[in-house]
Amino acid sequence: MTDVPPLAEILETARVVALPMYTRFRGVEVREALLFEGPQGWAEFSPFAEYDDAEASTWLAAAIADAWHPRPDAVRDGIRVNATIPAVPAERVPDVLARFDGCRTAKVKVAEAGQGLSDDVARVRAVRAEMGPEGRIRIDANAGWNVDEAERAIHALAPFDLEYAEQPCAGVDELVELRERIRYLDIPIAADESVRRAEDPLAVARAGAADLLVIKAQPLGGIRRALDIVAEAGLPVVVSSALDTAVGLSLGAALAAALPALDYDCGLGTASLFADDVADARPHGGVVSAARVTPDATALARLEAPAARRDWWLARLTRCHALLDADPS
């Protein structure tokens, strides 16, 4: 991004929303986001609360780019997406899957704090039972295991025919070692946090630490920077969400729509985890649209965050804007 609009222009349309979730996910039961409108349409700024301003400012750069600059040309109109299964008890799996209309792939959260491998096995077994032999199952550990734990867990889950294992360990060196240890299982390793939260998002590809990359538009600074990373990495990618509202999901869908190749179903169906949203971005027939989303005015009012949270987000926006304004590169 080469220019940063004045803060006043962003604040003029800024709305802070709080979306209730069906199930606690990634440690939250209500997802907050700041939305604003620019010349190209609405955009989303929603870095997680624990991220510092330096990291969060990259998310703001993505939002500004999306609101002020045209999106790249699309090569596809619809994006096939996966269902996302939080770390719920196995008996709740059918109810969760039922909210993801027509999805042939499920990403299952594992390595949840306070749970054990037996919980993961039971959850993945329930997903396989519900989806049948043709369903595709991938697991996501969010870097929750060390190498030994990951090797043991993936071995235990391998009988359920895993499509891949996402971010089983935190470090690039750990991923390299794990990938070598489980090579005989023929289960690919995907990198997420090692890309979006790394100073060098290409390090994981250069090290041979992953078979594919999970790409998220907001954390990487926008669609065009994400496309550059994909092109340089030379690996297959899955475009995923950062638990975005419908507005942020449309940014991810636009990224997926612009990729020359898209070999995997994308993690852009997470609107089905929300009990309410600013627009309908849920998958239908396993597909989401790549079209830009305009939030519903009634929904914006209904989902408005409490005043204290609105002030918190506006202060964060102001600080991050100052960082971008000082160094717009």
Side-chain angles (χ1 to χ4, degrees), residues 29-116:
E29 295 176 349
V30 176
R31 178 67 165 122
E32 296 177 344
L34 189 153
L35 310 178
F36 58 83
E37 187 178 15
Q40 298 295 324
W42 284 84
E44 175 171 338
F45 171 59
S46 59
F48 295 109
E50 67 270 23
Y51 291 3
D52 64 23
D53 290 347
E55 185 170 3
S57 65
T58 303
W59 297 56
L60 180 57
I64 290 173
D66 192 38
W68 262 262
H69 300 284
R71 291 174 170 178
D73 292 339
V75 298
R76 56 187 67 81
D77 297 325
I79 312 298
R80 289 206 67 97
V81 298
N82 63 258
T84 300
I85 311 299
V88 297
E91 59 268 21
R92 290 191 56 194
V93 163
D95 291 338
V96 176
L97 277 174
R99 293 199 291 268
F100 291 86
D101 178 63
C103 291
R104 63 185 181 183
T105 303
K107 179 166 82 170
V108 186
K109 291 293 182 177
V110 294
E112 180 82 354
Q115 296 186 9

Side-chain angles (χ1 to χ4, degrees), residues 31-311:
R31 178 67 165 122
E32 296 177 344
L34 189 153
L35 310 178
F36 58 83
E37 187 178 15
Q40 298 295 324
W42 284 84
E44 175 171 338
F45 171 59
S46 59
F48 295 109
E50 67 270 23
Y51 291 3
D52 64 23
D53 290 347
E55 185 170 3
S57 65
T58 303
W59 297 56
L60 180 57
I64 290 173
D66 192 38
W68 262 262
H69 300 284
R71 291 174 170 178
D73 292 339
V75 298
R76 56 187 67 81
D77 297 325
I79 312 298
R80 289 206 67 97
V81 298
N82 63 258
T84 300
I85 311 299
V88 297
E91 59 268 21
R92 290 191 56 194
V93 163
D95 291 338
V96 176
L97 277 174
R99 293 199 291 268
F100 291 86
D101 178 63
C103 291
R104 63 185 181 183
T105 303
K107 179 166 82 170
V108 186
K109 291 293 182 177
V110 294
E112 180 82 354
Q115 296 186 9
L117 180 55
S118 61
D119 299 296
D120 296 335
V121 170
R123 188 179 310 114
V124 174
R125 179 185 289 115
V127 174
R128 174 56 70 203
E130 194 70 15
M131 297 190 76
E134 294 184 358
R136 306 174 187 184
I137 297 177
R138 52 186 70 159
I139 59 170
D140 182 8
N142 289 117
W145 294 317
N146 61 36
V147 177
D148 290 338
E149 290 168 338
E151 181 182 18
R152 177 169 174 259
I154 292 173
H155 185 272
L157 295 168
F160 301 109
D161 189 19
L162 302 183
E163 184 182 35
Y164 62 75
E166 181 176 330
Q167 202 69 48
C169 305
V172 172
D173 291 343
E174 290 179 303
L175 293 178
V176 171
E177 181 180 350
L178 175 65
R179 191 163 173 251
E180 183 60 34
R181 287 195 196 183
I182 67 167
R183 190 178 299 277
Y184 72 98
L185 291 173
D186 197 28
I187 295 173
I189 297 295
D192 176 11
E193 286 88 346
S194 293
V195 178
R196 65 180 170 88
R197 302 203 70 183
E199 290 186 10
D200 180 2
L202 291 167
V204 69
R206 283 197 298 268
D211 300 281
L212 62 146
L213 305 182
V214 177
I215 298 294
K216 298 178 180 179
Q218 271 204 84
L220 291 175
I223 294 177
R224 295 188 185 279
R225 181 163 182 261
L227 289 173
D228 289 343
I229 290 169
V230 171
E232 194 168 347
L235 291 174
V237 299
V238 175
V239 179
S240 193
S241 83
L243 203 57
D244 309 307
T245 77
V247 172
L249 284 172
S250 80
L251 175 66
L255 168 58
L259 286 168
L262 199 60
D263 300 324
Y264 293 87
D265 293 350
C266 290
L268 298 170
T270 50
S272 292
L273 297 173
F274 294 124
D276 201 355
D277 203 343
V278 297
D280 184 9
R282 294 169 298 175
H284 298 280
V287 175
V288 297
S289 170
R292 183 182 283 275
V293 165
T294 298
D296 177 75
T298 303
L300 285 175
R302 182 175 66 247
L303 294 166
E304 185 175 11
R309 297 305 301 161
R310 179 179 184 275
D311 291 345

